[in-house]
Amino acid sequence: MNDIVQLSHNAKFALFADDTKIFTTDAAELQSCLNSFNDTLTTYQLNLAPHKCFVLPIGKKSLNSLSTHNNFIINSTAIPFENHAKDLVILISSDLTWNKHVKKIVQQASFISYQIIKSFRSNNIWTLLKLYKSYVRPKLEYNTPVWSPYLLGDIGAIERVQERFTKIICRRCNIPFSSYSDRLSKINMLSLQNRRIRFDLITLFKIVNNMSDLNFNSFFHYHHSPYLLRGGASKIYPIKILLPGLGMALSSKELPGTGTNLAVLSPLLDL
């Protein structure tokens, strides 16, 4: 498999198990990589399945422009164009919006939470919360630093799953409450939005301290102030990325203050 990543100096390859992804901005380069990829597999007496392959253009206008002017082929078989694809459970859209992924995980989590409420007759709030944290919440929080939503509609759709579940179990267990935030306080839980922000900060801490394979300079930059400020002299700011939503989707408005101080991140690793 190491021979595959050396097929082109301009395209990038990502390998995981039996899946291979090719990234390039040049249509001719992509077709050349497909030809070389197929020839390499043939040398090792391996067959490539064209019907399992597809092209995912990235960008709001990429799908129409690419599909109109290009036709990618493997073994005389045309490769279809898709506007979304599942990659390690995450549903990635060609315009890098996450509404399709959010809709999918909300449906899955809502179904599981409904099954828990109907299948378990327990009036023990901690037992029901244990079930929720084990089977429902992981569906809503898998790999959130990649797709953390920024639209209020997506944020609200995800939060309503936990809001409905906590309302039902608190009523069943005769726990009085006045609001959603009051329920969370009494059962010692955080909102899903606050948990996603925490996950983003933990991921940032790992990137800054070289505990991740992600390159710090690809996402952030330092700003050193000559003055001794209350929050510290060094701040971290996200760099501007050409396509919104690419990478961790962290923006300055989501970070505490005008920038992020390294001193406030380290305690989060223990949570």
Side-chain angles (χ1 to χ4, degrees):
M1 297 299 289
N2 293 331
D3 296 339
I4 295 177
V5 298
Q6 300 175 0
L7 294 177
S8 173
H9 296 290
N10 298 322
K12 294 183 178 181
F13 294 80
L15 309 177
F16 182 81
D18 60 345
D19 291 334
T20 302
K21 292 180 283 292
I22 305 174
F23 302 90
T24 181
T25 56
D26 188 346
E29 180 69 21
L30 177 56
Q31 182 60 63
S32 176
C33 289
L34 292 176
N35 296 336
S36 300
F37 188 27
N38 185 57
D39 294 340
T40 301
L41 292 180
T42 303
T43 302
Y44 290 102
Q45 298 183 355
L46 298 174
N47 296 322
L48 186 63
H51 64 280
K52 294 183 179 180
C53 302
F54 58 87
V55 179
L56 178 66
I58 299 298
K60 293 183 178 180
K61 299 180 180 180
S62 296
L63 183 60
N64 291 332
S65 61
L66 269 179
S67 59
T68 302
H69 300 93
N70 298 279
N71 188 20
F72 300 102
I73 297 174
I74 298 179
N75 280 341
S76 302
T77 302
I79 306 303
F81 285 80
E82 302 289 348
N83 56 13
H84 63 274
K86 183 186 292 185
D87 185 20
L88 299 179
V89 185
I90 298 177
L91 198 61
I92 301 177
S93 299
S94 59
D95 58 357
L96 291 181
T97 58
W98 304 107
N99 56 314
K100 289 185 176 66
H101 178 70
V102 169
K103 183 178 180 180
K104 183 193 70 171
I105 63 174
V106 166
Q107 289 176 343
Q108 293 175 346
S110 298
F111 176 78
I112 297 173
S113 62
Y114 174 80
Q115 293 297 318
I116 290 175
I117 292 171
K118 291 299 181 181
S119 302
F120 293 88
R121 299 297 181 180
S122 173
N123 291 329
N124 188 316
I125 187 71
W126 308 116
T127 299
L128 295 172
L129 285 177
K130 186 70 174 180
L131 292 168
Y132 169 80
K133 293 177 181 179
S134 299
Y135 297 105
V136 179
R137 197 166 65 181
K139 293 286 186 182
L140 301 171
E141 293 184 338
Y142 175 74
N143 221 347
T144 55
V146 173
W147 59 267
S148 186
Y150 56 92
L151 297 177
L152 293 179
D154 293 339
I155 295 173
I158 296 173
E159 201 69 46
R160 278 192 291 273
V161 177
Q162 181 168 282
E163 186 175 353
R164 285 193 300 264
F165 187 86
T166 55
K167 178 186 291 187
I168 293 174
I169 64 175
C170 283
R171 286 178 175 174
R172 176 187 291 188
C173 300
N174 297 319
I175 298 177
F177 58 86
S178 59
S179 63
Y180 175 49
S181 58
D182 185 35
R183 292 198 300 274
L184 294 181
S185 177
K186 290 184 177 180
I187 60 180
N188 194 26
M189 289 180 62
L190 291 174
S191 68
L192 296 176
Q193 183 178 10
N194 286 337
R195 285 176 59 85
R196 288 194 300 273
I197 294 176
R198 176 178 293 183
F199 296 149
D200 287 346
L201 293 175
I202 292 174
T203 303
L204 174 59
F205 180 89
K206 292 180 178 180
I207 294 175
V208 171
N209 291 277
N210 296 321
M211 300 166 62
S212 170
D213 293 334
L214 298 175
N215 185 2
F216 175 86
N217 295 323
S218 298
F219 299 96
F220 308 100
H221 67 89
Y222 283 108
H223 175 71
H224 301 282
S225 174
Y227 305 102
L228 183 60
L229 304 176
R230 178 168 47 183
S234 297
K235 298 285 185 178
I236 298 175
Y237 289 87
I239 63 175
K240 293 182 179 181
I241 302 176
L242 180 60
L243 296 175
L246 185 62
M248 295 198 331
L250 280 175
S251 64
S252 56
K253 65 179 181 180
E254 295 171 341
L255 301 177
T258 56
T260 300
N261 190 321
L262 290 180
V264 305
L265 297 181
S266 55
L268 294 174
L269 291 178
D270 296 327
L271 298 176

